Amino acid sequence: MAADAVRQREIAELAHQLAGLGGRRGARVFALTWWSDHLLSRAMRDPAFRAHLFRFVDAYPSLGQPRSVVEHLRGEFQGLSVPWWFRLGLATAGAPGGDRVTAAVAGRAVDRMARQFVIGTEPGEVAGAAGRLWAGGTAVTVDLLGEHTFSAAEASRYAARLTALVEALGAAAPAWVAQTHLERDDIGPVPRASVSVKTSALSPAFAPLTAGPALAAAEELLVPVLSRAADLGVSVWFDMERYEEKVLTQQLFRRLMERPDLEHLHAGIVLQAYLRDAEDDLAALARWAEGRRIPPGVRLVK
């Protein structure tokens, strides 16, 4: 028998064994822990696998039944090169009771991933976690999850959540322990607390074809947030998301930073360094920033 056929038979047999053991507490706990740990480990090593896994995580809250979870997993990873144990996990779904086992593994992996990357769910909790990281010598910028916006009401809620986060961080940061190497750079003082803004969350029409209304809506929501951040000494980073929104994000950043009422704001923008036009974008930003009272920051990401 060919090697591939033997491996497929072994996978199918093990899948049936896992499905049969799914109702026993000891076996279920072992299986969930092993699989979720391997998922996270693979995600940390493989950028392509991580991107697909994070897209699945983004959709996971809207998936109800185990069958929906399994179907979404298969659709997300179809055609992608995945390790044998991941194929085994999907094969388990084909056995009696397998949907429940596979969905449970996925749910545990999502939970463990959230615990690793999400530092809090309430503004006060987030500020406390950021303060502990600061005390350990690490400066952070806090990002709000859930950037997909489909209505003006959702955009308003995002701005309100961002404001609450700025308020909490601004109130907590003055009491943090002094960290001289984090509070200054070669130009001058740097705020202790920092938040990141996903510009696409500020308007459901944040796209090149609707640039006019998108910029106006985003500016209307963001100006009060930025004004409060400037007053409280919280810096703001404009995240760079999808490539098609790159120019629009840069336009919004410059438009807001050129406002006289925000000249005392510490702010910066993210550039994706792997893009061919990243060097041109960086040079253009440098020319634009000449003579500004507080030079804007630039964070290069891979």
Side-chain angles (χ1 to χ4, degrees), residues 55-73 103 106 110:
R55 278 201 291 266
F56 168 77
V57 170
D58 191 46
Y60 181 79
S62 65
L63 304 175
Q65 298 300 316
R67 170 50 54 183
S68 298
V69 174
V70 172
E71 289 177 351
H72 199 85
L73 270 173
V110 169

Side-chain angles (χ1 to χ4, degrees), residues 49-91:
F49 187 88
R50 181 170 62 246
H52 285 270
L53 184 59
F54 278 19
R55 278 201 291 266
F56 168 77
V57 170
D58 191 46
Y60 181 79
S62 65
L63 304 175
Q65 298 300 316
R67 170 50 54 183
S68 298
V69 174
V70 172
E71 289 177 351
H72 199 85
L73 270 173
R74 285 174 171 160
E76 185 63 54
F77 289 91
Q78 184 176 12
L80 188 70
S81 177
V82 296
W84 68 266
W85 49 264
F86 191 84
R87 294 197 303 273
L88 171 59
L90 292 179

Side-chain angles (χ1 to χ4, degrees), residues 126-206:
V126 171
R132 289 189 292 275
L133 288 168
W134 176 271
T138 300
V140 300
T141 181
V142 182
D143 187 8
L144 289 174
L145 296 179
E147 68 271 20
H148 297 296
T149 295
F150 300 99
S151 68
E154 288 181 327
S156 296
R157 285 195 294 271
Y158 176 82
R161 292 171 60 212
L162 193 58
T163 300
L165 182 60
V166 167
E167 294 281 356
L169 288 170
W176 294 351
V177 63
Q179 298 279 14
T180 305
H181 64 291
L182 297 178
E183 298 182 59
R184 298 189 64 85
D185 59 18
D186 59 325
I187 297 177
V190 176
R192 294 181 172 185
S194 177
V195 298
S196 292
V197 176
K198 293 190 180 300
T199 54
S200 63
L202 296 164
S203 170
F206 202 83

Side-chain angles (χ1 to χ4, degrees), residues 221-292:
L221 286 176
L222 206 50
V223 165
V225 180
L226 299 183
S227 179
R228 193 62 183 141
D231 292 341
L232 293 173
V234 176
S235 64
V236 180
W237 287 95
F238 285 63
D239 273 353
M240 191 63 64
E241 301 173 79
R242 292 173 290 273
Y243 181 79
E244 57 267 26
E245 297 163 357
K246 177 177 74 76
V247 173
L248 203 58
T249 299
Q250 292 180 0
Q251 288 177 346
L252 178 64
F253 176 71
R254 295 189 186 193
R255 180 166 166 169
L256 288 165
M257 294 304 98
E258 289 170 356
R259 291 177 59 103
D261 55 333
L262 294 177
E263 65 176 0
H264 57 308
L265 173 69
H266 281 265
I269 190 168
V270 175
L271 292 182
Q272 295 170 337
Y274 66 88
L275 297 177
R276 293 181 177 179
D277 49 8
E279 184 177 1
D280 292 338
D281 289 341
L282 186 59
L285 281 168
R287 290 192 298 271
W288 166 79
E290 290 181 1
R292 296 194 58 78

